[in-house]
Amino acid sequence: MPPTPSISSADRASILDRLERERFDCAVIGGGITGVGIAREATQRGLSVALLEAEDFASGTSSRSSKLILGGLRYLAMGDIALVRETALERTVIHRLAPHLAEPRWVVVPTRSRTGLIKMRAGITTYEKLGAVEGADLHRNWSRDDLETEEPILDRSRFAHACVYREYVTEDARLVLANLRCAVAAGAAVLNHAPVDAILGEDDRADGVEAECAVSGRRVRVRARCVINAAGPWVDRVHHLENPQAPARLHLSKGVHVVLPLERLPVRNIVILNAADRRSIFLIRRGEAVFVGTTDTSYEHGCETWPLIERRDVEYLLAPIARDLSVEPIAPEEVVAAWSGLRPLIAEPGKKAHEISRRDEIWIGPRRVVSVAGGKLTGYRPMTRTAVEKAAEVCELQLEPPPAREAPLPGGDFDGDLEALSARLQRETGLEAGTARRMVGLYGTEAGEVVGRGADPLVPGASVLSGEVSWAMEVEGAARLEDVLYRRTRAALYEPSVREALVEPIADQMAKRLGWGSARREQEITTARERLARDLAFLGESP
C-alpha cells in the first residue's frame, strides 16, 4: 500500500469524480510553488481545496530555478530591506521543515583587493543580521592561502581574498511535491495535466472553474466559493479568462542554466562569479555534475514551458569561467545538459529584467478572482499566507488560526544531518555510497521506503532506481515519462551520461502500471527524446 500523503496517477478517474462531485472553498489554478503553497496554507487553516495544474506539478518556473534557498543579498543594493529580511529569515524555516531540501552550503565570493573584501563583509554582515544568522554559520574571510586549500579552482593571480557565507541548496521541484503532499494529507484534491480554460459563475462573482484532463480527455467543472489564480508566468492569461480587457501585469524574464561534468569544473563550494554585465553567476555542484546560472533577460515571445536556449545564453554563462578560474576555457559543446524557464516578475516600466524587484503582488479581479504573482522561491510561505488571508476576506471564508508550529514536510523529520542519514540508508540497504547520498537528498527519511519498492538501478551506471519510478507514479502523481525524467528523479539534469538510456526502462515500468498501450508508450518515448534533444539544440547554432 502506498504511504500517505500520496497522489496516485492510477486514481485519476476517481480524482476527477471527486472534483466534479464536491463543492470546495477554494479552487487553485497552478501547481508551482505558489499554488501548492496556497493549497497547503489553506488546508492548514481549515479550508477545502481543489488544485488544477495545466501540465505537471512544478513544470514551469518552479523546476527551472537556480536550486537555491536565498535571502536575496543582491536586493540590499536595491534598497529592498523588507524583502531581504523576510526571505533571509525564511531560509532557516524551510531548513527546519525539510532539511533534505535545504542543504546548507558555503558560498564563496572572491575579491581582488582588501578594500573589496571589506565592502563585501559589510554587506554580508548586514544580511546576516537581517536573517538572524548565528554561530558556526556566520561568514568567514579567506586569504589567498585559504583559497588554495579550500577552493583551488579560483585563479589566485586574480583573487587575493574571499568572503564566504551560508546559503541553502534545494531541489525546487521536489519542494513543490512535498508541499503538495501536505495539502493532500489535509484533504486537498489535486490534479496535474488538467488545464483550466474557463472561469465559472455570474458577472460579479466566480464560483468555480472548468478544465479538461489532458490524459483522458474528460472535461470537469469544479465548483468553489473562491478562485485563486497562481499560474506563474501564465497569470495574465488566466486573468484574461475573468477579464479579457485586463492589461498585462507581468514582465517575463528568461533564466538559463547549463550543466558540466564535475571533472571539467571541480568546484567544492558554491562559487559566485561576475558576468560581463556585473550580474552574479552561480557555480553549484550536484553529485558528479556542476550547474552554472543564471541569465536574466526579458522574454517577449509569450508564455512557454520550455523557452528556447540560445548559444549566446550559453556563451554568456561560460565566459566568466575562462576569465576567473584556473581551467581551460570551456566550449558550449562541452555542456551536457541545460534548462531554461520564465520568471513572472511584476512589471516596472523602464526597468530591465535584472533590475526588477522580486516582490510579489496580489490583485482582485471584477469577479473576485484572487491573482497572485511575483515573489521568490524562498519567500513562498509568507506570500501564500497573505494570499489565503486576502482570498478569505474577499470571498467571505472563515479561516482557522495558523498552526503554532508547522510539522516537517514529508521526508523532513530528522535533525538535518544528511551524511548520517545517508550512512544509515547505506547500511540498511547495501546501496553504493553515492546512490545513498542522492536518495536522501531527494527523499529524506522516506528514502528507505522508496528503495523498498525496488533497489535495482534502471540501467548500468545510473543511480536512478526502479523504486523511484513506482514512487513517482503512486505517491507523487507522475502521469507522463517526462514527469519522472525531469521532475521526480531529476535524471534529465544530473545524470547526463545515462539520461537517454533511462528513457525506455522508465517508459516500460510506467506502461505496465498505468496500462499504456504500445502507441502511448512509443509516443511518450518519442516526446521525451525530442525534449532531451531540444535542451541542447543550441549546439547546432553557428558560433
Side-chain angles (χ1 to χ4, degrees):
M1 293 292 290
T4 55
S6 62
I7 311 154
S8 175
S9 289
D11 293 337
R12 288 186 73 87
S14 61
I15 294 171
L16 285 162
D17 288 344
R18 183 187 171 199
L19 287 169
E20 195 150 56
R21 181 178 64 248
E22 297 183 15
R23 186 169 190 264
F24 299 87
D25 293 317
C26 295
V28 180
I29 305 171
I33 193 63
T34 303
V36 304
I38 287 170
R40 178 173 175 266
E41 175 71 18
T43 53
Q44 287 185 327
R45 305 290 292 275
L47 302 182
S48 58
V49 174
L51 181 145
L52 296 162
E53 160 58 38
E55 296 196 28
D56 184 27
F57 307 122
S59 59
T61 309
S62 295
S63 60
R64 316 298 177 80
S65 76
S66 294
K67 325 302 183 199
L68 292 170
I69 302 295
L70 295 173
L73 176 61
R74 77 183 181 97
Y75 302 119
L76 280 178
M78 297 181 180
D80 209 336
I81 303 298
L83 174 65
V84 176
R85 178 185 293 111
E86 180 179 80
T87 53
L89 291 169
E90 276 296 299
R91 295 175 306 166
T92 57
V93 178
I94 296 172
H95 177 64
R96 177 177 60 79
L97 295 176
H100 60 306
L101 299 176
E103 178 185 349
R105 297 268 197 95
W106 291 111
V107 179
V108 181
V109 187
T111 63
R112 302 188 67 177
S113 66
R114 182 166 292 278
T115 300
L117 177 65
I118 292 170
K119 289 174 63 176
M120 182 57 64
R121 285 174 59 188
I124 289 176
T125 298
T126 301
Y127 178 63
E128 290 175 335
K129 288 180 179 178
L130 290 171
V133 177
E134 297 178 339
D137 285 334
L138 288 168
H139 74 271
R140 303 171 180 182
N141 303 307
W142 285 355
S143 66
R144 184 179 275 114
D145 288 342
D146 293 326
L147 285 172
E148 183 176 4
T149 302
E150 302 293 342
E151 198 60 81
I153 194 174
L154 281 165
D155 184 349
R156 292 181 297 284
S157 69
R158 287 181 56 80
F159 301 114
H161 309 277
C163 195
V164 186
Y165 69 100
R166 282 290 201 193
E167 293 286 17
Y168 297 82
V169 175
T170 190
E171 277 302 340
D172 48 9
R174 299 205 59 78
L175 184 63
V176 170
L177 293 166
N179 278 273
L180 186 69
R181 289 174 60 207
C182 283
V184 169
V190 306
L191 193 69
N192 53 357
H193 302 291
V196 169
D197 53 23
I199 305 292
L200 305 176
E202 302 301 326
D203 290 342
D204 64 343
R205 186 153 194 161
D207 67 359
V209 300
E210 188 167 352
E212 181 172 310
C213 173
V215 175
S216 66
R218 176 177 166 182
R219 293 194 64 79
V220 61
R221 294 167 64 90
V222 182
R223 296 171 300 156
R225 297 169 63 190
C226 179
V227 176
I228 303 178
N229 170 15
W234 293 267
V235 158
D236 279 338
R237 184 178 297 178
V238 172
H239 185 44
H240 287 158
L241 296 177
E242 177 195 19
N243 181 11
Q245 287 75 46
R249 290 177 176 256
L250 299 186
H251 181 129
L252 299 181
S253 165
K254 183 176 75 169
V256 172
H257 295 77
V258 298
V259 182
L260 296 160
L262 178 64
E263 61 188 25
R264 192 66 177 85
L265 195 61
V267 297
R268 298 179 179 179
N269 305 279
I270 299 172
V271 175
I272 295 183
L273 304 179
N274 284 329
D277 59 2
R278 307 301 297 169
R279 287 196 68 256
S280 294
I281 301 296
F282 292 92
L283 282 59
I284 306 167
R285 178 178 176 178
R286 218 34 169 163
E288 296 304 306
V290 175
F291 61 90
V292 182
T294 178
T295 64
D296 194 359
T297 55
S298 296
Y299 195 75
E300 299 175 350
H301 305 290
C303 288
E304 295 182 82
T305 305
W306 304 92
L308 181 67
I309 299 172
E310 299 175 86
R311 189 179 182 95
R312 63 183 177 180
D313 298 321
V314 179
E315 291 172 342
Y316 170 89
L317 294 173
L318 297 181
I321 295 173
R323 183 193 65 218
D324 294 338
L325 303 184
S326 298
V327 298
E328 290 295 318
I330 297 174
E333 286 72 20
E334 296 180 77
V335 170
V336 293
W339 70 86
S340 65
L342 298 178
R343 305 178 189 89
L345 308 179
I346 304 301
E348 296 181 31
K351 288 189 176 183
K352 296 179 180 179
H354 70 272
E355 297 171 331
I356 297 176
S357 171
R358 269 48 177 174
R359 65 186 174 88
D360 57 271
E361 187 173 292
I362 297 170
W363 65 92
I364 311 303
R367 296 166 67 189
R368 303 193 200 185
V369 173
V370 178
S371 294
V372 55
K376 287 169 54 63
L377 174 65
T378 308
Y380 81 90
R381 291 176 60 263
M383 176 174 63
T384 55
R385 176 165 295 179
T386 300
V388 169
E389 291 175 349
K390 174 58 71 173
E393 174 190 334
V394 169
C395 299
E396 301 170 348
L397 303 174
Q398 189 65 41
L399 291 178
E400 296 176 2
R405 184 175 176 82
E406 297 177 63
L409 296 176
D413 51 337
F414 68 107
D415 63 3
D417 190 338
L418 283 166
E419 300 309 321
L421 188 61
S422 175
R424 189 177 76 188
L425 180 68
Q426 191 179 2
R427 289 195 305 270
E428 293 175 350
T429 63
L431 290 177
E432 184 268 336
T435 300
R437 182 63 178 78
R438 172 186 168 275
M439 292 295 291
V440 300
L442 294 181
Y443 305 98
T445 56
E446 294 185 318
E449 293 182 69
V450 180
V451 175
R453 291 168 172 261
D456 296 328
L458 284 172
V459 297
S463 59
V464 180
L465 308 180
S466 60
E468 293 182 75
V469 182
S470 172
W471 185 269
M473 291 184 289
E474 298 288 352
V475 180
E476 297 176 342
R480 289 185 165 159
L481 173 54
E482 180 190 290
D483 302 346
V484 177
L485 196 62
Y486 277 88
R487 290 172 292 276
R488 303 308 188 279
T489 67
R490 312 301 267 160
L493 308 184
Y494 307 136
E495 302 267 338
S497 64
V498 294
R499 64 181 194 161
E500 298 215 16
L502 288 167
V503 169
E504 289 202 27
I506 293 174
D508 289 341
Q509 196 169 336
M510 295 187 76
K512 183 177 180 180
R513 178 65 184 91
L514 299 179
W516 295 349
S518 59
R520 171 68 187 278
R521 174 186 174 277
E522 289 305 314
Q523 178 189 22
E524 291 285 339
I525 289 172
T526 299
T527 300
R529 285 178 170 158
E530 289 176 348
R531 175 70 262 145
L532 291 170
R534 283 197 296 269
D535 290 347
L536 300 176
F538 62 85
L539 295 175
E541 296 180 27
S542 299

